[in-house]
Amino acid sequence: MYAIQNPSTSPTYRADIDGLRAIAVLSVVVYHIDHRLVPAGFLGVDIFFVLSGFLISSLIMNEIQMGTFSLVEFYRRRIKRIMPAMLLVLATTVLAAQWLFRPEEAETTARAGFWSLLSLANLFFWLFEDTSYFAADSNELPLLHLWSLGVEEQFYILWPLLLMLTYSALKRAYFGLLVLGALASFAFGEWYFSRDASFVYFMLPSRAGELLVGAIAAHYVMSGRTLSSSTAVVCAWVGVALIAGSLWWVTTQRPFPGWQAVPPTLGTALLILAGHRHSPLPNRVLSIAPLVWIGLVSYSAYLWHWPLLAFLHYGGFNLSLALGVAVFVLTFTLAWLSYRFVEQPLRRSSDSFIPLALKQFVVPSLLISILIGVSMKTDGYGLRSDTYRQALAEQRAERPGVLEYDYVCQRQRLSVADLTDERCVLGANGDTEPNALLWGDSIAARYVGMLGVFAREANFRFRNLEVGSCPPLLSGSAPYTNVRRVADCDASNHLVSNALNANTTVFASASWVHYHFNGNDVVEGFAQTLGDLASRVERVIILGHGPIAYGYDTLCREKQLGFAGVACSEAPVPLDRRIIDTNTRLQQLAARYPNVDYFDANAYLCPGDVCPLYVKDEPVFFDPYHLTIAASWRIGEEIVKREGVPQVFEQIGK
């Protein structure tokens, strides 16, 4: 993406490669505007990787052969090519986020910007992006796209050094070594995906294969070999078919990158080779002026398009046809302006390495770091007024987070102390030991208030223990949850298992519809745990899945304080059919055992299968997946007022 040939100065300039850049950036931009138009348009990034691998490797291999390669000069060129436009977009985005975003998102954007300055954006998003089922929408992270720069910049650090040390000595064997390296990278991505899909997506080891495919094409060209005219034509059309087919048929339902990345990257390499000393029809089409122009501004277009879309997503704007077209036009307008007034002038600089690095990277980065530091030091509030702070505090007082209630014992990992902490116990007055346990993930907290009311009225006490993104399983959580949560989940569930015998009743709750990693069905997985529970305690009550307010932005009123024009939809939402079907399965599961019952409150939360988001202007949901604790207590009181304590809970206190 970021290697470049200058049409006016490079005798080896190929217009068809800029045409390939155009296909890549158009695929990405259109996909992000409306993925239905190009179902696998994200592959544009992988096409860029191949082009970068080819151009960078060609440059280095050629200069090594001529004995003119200089690591300092290489990085001097990289700074001129990459940094000016990137720093402009980064600074603009971080600054805009300080005014438009809530403080938390403004600070996160600043942190992402700092890691991007260090060429580690991909590492930041791998380590810190929340990928749980209640995560913030990644479409609202305006610097997320800089992960690809992180991958390439890390490649630029390692690859020249490796070529310097090995290319001349192992030149004859290099083709085979490159092929083995690429295959190893693709195989690693395929294998490791089930263990950490985020690492595979963001990090260099699983992306290196795509860059090495470009290096393979470069080595073939540098070796002096060339395709025959007829072979070039075949390669060109096969390349077109592989890219076009991939853009429509590659799916995110299977590991990626992995073997699925081979067709689009191989197709790109074939088109590169076909256009070397030949001009098949596909390469001539790629060389037409409009595509070449788009290719020339593709780097800036890639940089600008994502922040524009992220701010729109954050503001809750629906990307209609008109708005999508406007984003597309604005993207390429900004791209041309950046190319014309930033990229081109600074790329022509004749400064030596140190002055150039100071002017185009070090000093601008320091200035941006000051802005980032202010945001981080002020927790994202920056220079916002006291009026803003007061209004935000008032909004948040209406819907306090679950962790602000000390009696809600929701943890990332349970400790032994949680098993005896009196603050985790609710119900009847007195100092008797609790005889019931609420166990589940963060969704289980939606039942804390309801059970608190039932326990008070039926004279029992219960302890609540919730672990974020961890289903209540005794058989191991690895098949069902994110790899990063497995250790915490299993350790927490082991503690619960050891404490089960101290309880006569267990309430089990989870976000049952969300634990379907790798096609595994958590309800079937829970069936094994249920059999164990039913044999160890007197009663088990399965708590059904409550409503999910898909599309509801519970932060919208807070966002409006800084982002004028944010559209807030507070219309009731239908009860998801998947939840109804899952709850039916849970009821059937409970019916297998005489001491297992089932309960949910959806008739009260969603009368007629329609779920209001506000009741008397008080929010029902803390976020799309979790009820407010206040709503949980209110629903419990309403149930008791209408029908008394539900029968399944009456006997616990007797």
Side-chain angles (χ1 to χ4, degrees), residues 25 40 105 124 135 138 151 154 172 212 268 279 325 329 343 351 360 380 388 395 402 446 491 532-533 576 590 595 650:
V25 78
E105 288 98 10
F124 174 83
S138 61
V151 169
Q154 291 152 28
R172 292 185 178 180
L212 291 178
T268 304
S279 298
V325 171
V329 171
E343 289 190 64
D351 288 340
Q360 297 195 20
Y388 172 86
Q395 284 286 348
V402 64
R446 73 167 61 212
D532 195 351
L533 286 174
D576 192 326
N595 62 334
E650 281 185 329

Side-chain angles (χ1 to χ4, degrees), residues 22-48 137-139 144-145 147 201 207 246-253 256 302 305-306 309 313 319 324 327-328 331-332:
I23 299 300
V25 78
L26 288 172
S27 299
V28 171
V29 173
V30 172
Y31 171 78
H32 286 149
I33 290 174
D34 188 344
H35 65 87
R36 294 170 298 181
L37 299 176
V38 188
F42 57 87
L43 292 175
V45 172
D46 307 274
I47 295 172
F48 277 132
D137 193 340
S138 61
N139 287 337
L144 179 62
H145 65 320
W147 73 266
Y201 186 84
R207 292 287 182 173
S246 298
L247 289 172
W248 284 96
W249 299 113
V250 167
T251 173
T252 56
Q253 302 305 309
F256 190 90
Y302 178 81
H305 88 285
W306 184 256
L309 289 168
H313 286 304
L319 283 180
V327 170
F328 185 88
T331 292
F332 283 95

